Structures are given as structure tokens and as C-alpha cells.
Amino acid sequence: MWGAQSQGIDDIVRRISQNDATLTSLYLMRHRRFNEEDAGRLADALSRSETLVELNLSSHAISPRVAGILGAGLKSNQSIRFISIGNSTFGDEAMVELCRCFEENTSITTIDLERKGLTRSSAAAVCRAVEKNTSVRHLMLSHNDLQGGLEDVLPCVSGLESFVSHSCGIGCAGSSTALSVAMRNASALKRVELDHNMLDASSAILLAEGLSHCTLLEKISLSSNPLGPEGVSSLVEALPAGIQSIDISHTDAQDAGICSLAACLRSQKLPHIRYINISGCGLTAQSMSTLLEAASHLPDGKGLELDAGENIGLGHDEIFSYVLTCHRVLSLRLHGCNLGTRGIESLIRALEVHAEGAHPLRDLDISGNNIPEDCMVTLLSRLASPHGISVFSCLQTLVIAANPDVEGHKVADAVEALYTARPSMVVIRAATDSSGQK
């Protein structure tokens, strides 16, 4: 329930108290009044609720006193699974009050503490609450200034299934060691996201040792950490066989790090991989071709989504000849790779000489590549030709936005011709055009 009227919460309290089966998710928008008296009535209703599953009060400033009132009602609640309370002014004192509730509640599985203005002062309380709670499996801590308190909060990771902590300063001081120790005992962990932190090569080596014990891990995201080639190599070599999604974008992996990942694919150490993001890693066509060749060794029936955008070194070689020889890539994103005329001519040549049957590629993103209008028109014409349709018979989406004159009439006419030849295809010509312009 979203409720945007400028009014109190009497109607919401009434529905929760009556266990209205149609009200399972509550997001209280800022237009709603929410004072201490309202909090008391809501807390009383929550203590008896049997139907509300999600409670989101993240649009409101919540004082420590109000946090305590809400916590009192949540202690005995048996229905809520997801909770997010307070905006960026929430702070440590209110967090400590709310943690007293988390220690006793037995239904909450997901705690969202992103952007709550938390610091080291509440880190120990958060850790203690999560460790004592018997139901919490998912914790989100992103965008809190936890430097100095990371060693106090990270031990709770060992009991989680997912841990998301972007921009929290992980990697500084002794936090890398604390995280590694927690990972060694995290037998149930399936998802780890640590984007925009301070993990460097030495931190990565420690983290890799911990991750090697996370046998159920399916997704890891380490985007925008200064891992470097050595750090990336250490991490990908330690990943468990069940990993399905890897994001090492903007980690300065370079060719050496990507080649380590390729070696893991070639040896089928990662047979369940579905998604890889290596955007902005400084790779060249050489490591890209190595990775694509390695992906060819994935088990039959396994498809790969590959995001390799913002690697300008890919615009200077025949990369599409490598793409068409790999029949495991289902989605390829090459946004901002400086493909230009040479790159698209490479695609056109590869398309014309390809004679090995239909390629399984479903989605191709070549946006933001400084592709001239005449080259774009030629490409669209080739894709509309009988041979182009035969080779890329599976192609469903083509993203060509942010290229010169892409919204001009010549490209528009070529797109219309492509739609005539392939009615089910979608061509995205503008950044805001998510469904294609037909």
C-alpha cells in the first residue's frame, strides 16, 4: 500500500488491526503524517498483525524514542519478513533502540539499513542483533559511514544468506581480515555485494580465502574496488563451482585478471556461470577473445550474459569475429567501447562470412560508440537481409542509442525496414526508450 494523501495513518492502522488480507506490504510515503502518537498506534497494530509482510518507513525521520516505540510492537510480531525504518537522519541512537527489537523478533528475514546515517557507534548493536536473531538471513548496510566500526559489524555475516554493503569503507584498517574470518563460517551465504569499497589486491587475497569456504555462493559483486589484476585473479580462482553471477566491473582487472577468469571458464571450474560484468576493466581485444574462446567450453545448454562496456581497447580489432565463434553468449553489452567505423565494419564482415548456422545471441548493445550514420544504416540493412536474419535469428533487442545521428531520418528508415523484415525485434535508439520505437 502506497498511500500518498496528506493525512494521518488511521485507515492504515485500522486495516492492519483487522488483519486485512489485501494489505501485505506497507510503504508509508512522506506525505503521510507520522508522529509519536501515530507510531504508538501503529506499533500496537503491528504487535497483533498476522498479514503484513513488508514494512517500509524509510521516507520518514524516526527519532530514537519513536524507534523504541515501533520496536516494542515489532518484538511480538510474527508476520513481517522485510523491514526498513527511518531515512538518512535515523542515526546510531535510534538504531540501538531498534536493535533491541531485532534481538527478540522471530519473523524478520530481511533488514534494510541502507542510507540510515549509521557510524561505528551502532555497529556492535547491529551485529549483536543479527547474531541473536534466529530468522534474519539478508542484511543491507550500503552507504553508511562504518569505517572504524566494520570489525564490530562484519562477524554477523557468518549467519546470512545475502550481504549487501556498498560504499561502507570495507577494505580499510582490519576490516578485510574481519570479513575473511566471517566468510569462513558463512556456510549459507549465497549473495555478496561489496561495490564501491576500498578492497585492493591484499584485501582481495584475504577475501578469497574466506570465499573459498562459501560453497553455496551464487552471486558476487565487487564493482569499483581497486582490486587490480592480482586481486581479481585471486578472487576468481577461489570462487566456488556454483557461482552464477560475477561483477568485477571497474576493478582495473586488465588483461591479466580477465585471462585468469578465462582460465576458470576453460577448465569448467565455473560450470553454472550465467552473468559476467567486466565493464571498464581496461581489457583489450586480446583478453576479450581469450574470454570468448574460454566461454565456448561452458557445458552444452548453458548461456552467458556478458557486459564488457566502457573498454575502449575493444574498438581496435576484429572483436566480432570472436563473438560469432562463441555460441554461448546470449547477451553482449559493448556500450562506450569506441567501436566507431572500424568496429562496426568488423561486425558487418563477420556477419557476411559467418556460415556456421544461427548464432544464439539475443541482445546486443552497441550504444555510445561513435558509430557514424552511414555505418549504422549499413549494419541495420545487413541485419534485415535474409543472411542477417539467418545468422542472428535469435536476436531480439538491439541497442544503438547515443551514437551520432541515430535519431535522424536515415537511421529511422533503416530501423523501419528492419522491423518489416523482423516484426518481433526491438531497436532502442534513445536512452529513455526501453521498449523500442515502432
Side-chain angles (χ1 to χ4, degrees):
M1 177 178 183
W2 288 69
Q5 300 94 330
S6 180
Q7 62 185 55
I9 62 170
D10 292 353
D11 57 327
I12 295 174
V13 170
R14 183 175 59 255
R15 293 178 64 186
I16 295 175
S17 298
Q18 294 173 349
N19 284 311
D20 184 341
T22 64
L23 178 56
T24 59
S25 178
L26 171 60
Y27 181 92
L28 193 66
M29 297 185 72
R30 68 186 64 187
H31 306 288
R32 291 271 191 166
R33 185 196 70 226
F34 191 67
N35 56 31
E36 187 173 322
E37 182 182 349
D38 295 323
R41 289 186 291 115
L42 178 59
D44 182 62
L46 291 173
S47 68
R48 300 190 302 274
S49 173
E50 298 176 359
T51 55
L52 193 67
V53 177
E54 298 182 0
L55 176 63
N56 193 324
L57 305 178
S58 61
S59 290
H60 289 266
I62 304 293
S63 69
R65 180 171 172 77
V66 169
I69 292 171
L70 290 170
L74 289 166
K75 284 182 181 180
S76 57
N77 179 278
Q78 295 296 307
S79 65
I80 292 177
R81 301 290 182 265
F82 171 92
I83 190 165
S84 178
I85 292 180
N87 59 19
S88 59
T89 67
F90 192 60
D92 296 316
E93 190 177 349
M95 187 71 254
V96 171
E97 288 293 329
L98 195 59
C99 280
R100 295 191 176 98
C101 136
F102 292 154
E103 291 183 23
E104 298 184 34
N105 180 281
T106 58
S107 68
I108 297 173
T109 60
T110 302
I111 300 177
D112 179 359
L113 300 179
E114 295 187 345
R115 301 182 188 275
K116 304 300 184 190
L118 307 181
T119 71
R120 63 184 302 176
S121 298
S122 58
V126 171
C127 184
R128 183 170 58 251
V130 172
E131 288 183 323
K132 286 188 176 183
N133 189 288
T134 59
S135 61
V136 174
R137 294 292 178 267
H138 313 281
L139 178 63
M140 294 175 278
L141 273 174
S142 300
H143 304 286
N144 288 294
D145 186 12
L146 293 173
Q147 292 187 45
L150 288 166
E151 292 177 79
D152 293 328
V153 74
L154 289 173
C156 73
V157 174
S158 60
L160 300 174
E161 290 182 16
S162 71
F163 179 57
V164 180
S165 188
H166 303 165
S167 302
C168 286
I170 296 177
C172 63
S175 59
S176 298
T177 300
L179 182 60
S180 180
V181 171
M183 293 290 184
R184 292 174 204 167
N185 300 312
S187 58
L189 198 63
K190 296 181 179 180
R191 172 190 175 200
V192 176
E193 294 186 27
L194 304 173
D195 300 351
H196 294 276
N197 278 292
M198 302 167 66
L199 296 164
D200 57 14
S202 58
S203 301
I205 292 171
L206 288 170
L207 179 58
E209 200 285 324
L211 286 174
S212 65
H213 297 269
C214 300
T215 56
L216 297 181
L217 192 66
E218 297 176 353
K219 176 180 180 178
I220 185 164
S221 182
L222 298 166
S223 177
S224 301
N225 280 283
L227 300 173
E230 182 183 1
V232 169
S233 297
S234 298
L235 285 165
V236 298
E237 291 167 4
L239 292 175
I243 200 78
Q244 297 178 20
S245 174
I246 300 172
D247 186 345
I248 50 173
S249 59
H250 301 283
T251 57
D252 192 32
Q254 300 182 35
D255 285 350
I258 300 307
C259 286
S260 293
L261 175 58
C264 292
L265 297 183
R266 187 179 297 106
S267 63
Q268 296 194 7
K269 288 179 61 178
L270 307 175
H272 301 287
I273 193 70
R274 295 289 180 277
Y275 174 79
I276 295 175
N277 190 338
I278 51 175
S279 296
C281 280
L283 66 153
T284 65
Q286 179 180 358
S287 56
M288 182 68 164
S289 63
T290 300
L291 183 65
L292 290 169
E293 187 279 329
S296 300
H297 295 271
L298 288 171
D300 290 342
K302 304 298 182 182
L304 181 66
E305 294 182 33
L306 181 60
D307 191 336
E310 300 173 63
N311 287 293
I312 60 173
L314 297 183
H316 305 292
D317 210 333
E318 301 281 327
I319 63 166
F320 287 103
S321 62
Y322 307 130
V323 172
L324 287 176
T325 59
C326 177
H327 281 246
R328 294 292 185 268
V329 177
L330 304 183
S331 177
L332 179 62
R333 180 177 181 271
L334 295 171
H335 169 79
C337 287
N338 194 33
L339 296 177
T341 301
R342 185 171 179 178
I344 294 310
E345 288 179 346
S346 161
L347 173 54
I348 294 171
R349 281 194 299 272
L351 179 62
E352 290 176 343
V353 302
H354 185 80
E356 299 178 12
H359 193 281
L361 189 68
R362 294 186 310 225
D363 306 296
L364 176 63
D365 183 346
I366 52 173
S367 59
N369 273 291
N370 197 33
I371 301 169
E373 181 183 54
D374 58 340
C375 283
M376 187 67 74
V377 170
T378 301
L379 172 62
L380 293 169
S381 300
R382 294 293 190 276
L383 290 174
S385 70
H387 181 69
I389 294 173
S390 174
V391 174
F392 282 136
S393 60
C394 298
L395 193 62
Q396 300 170 359
T397 305
L398 176 66
V399 184
I400 60 175
N403 282 295
D405 301 314
V406 73
E407 297 185 62
H409 73 278
K410 290 184 179 180
V411 173
D413 290 345
V415 169
E416 285 302 317
L418 181 58
Y419 283 153
T420 300
R422 311 178 67 150
S424 63
M425 191 169 171
V426 172
V427 178
I428 298 175
R429 294 194 290 142
T432 57
D433 178 23
S434 60
S435 60
Q437 297 177 343
K438 288 195 176 185

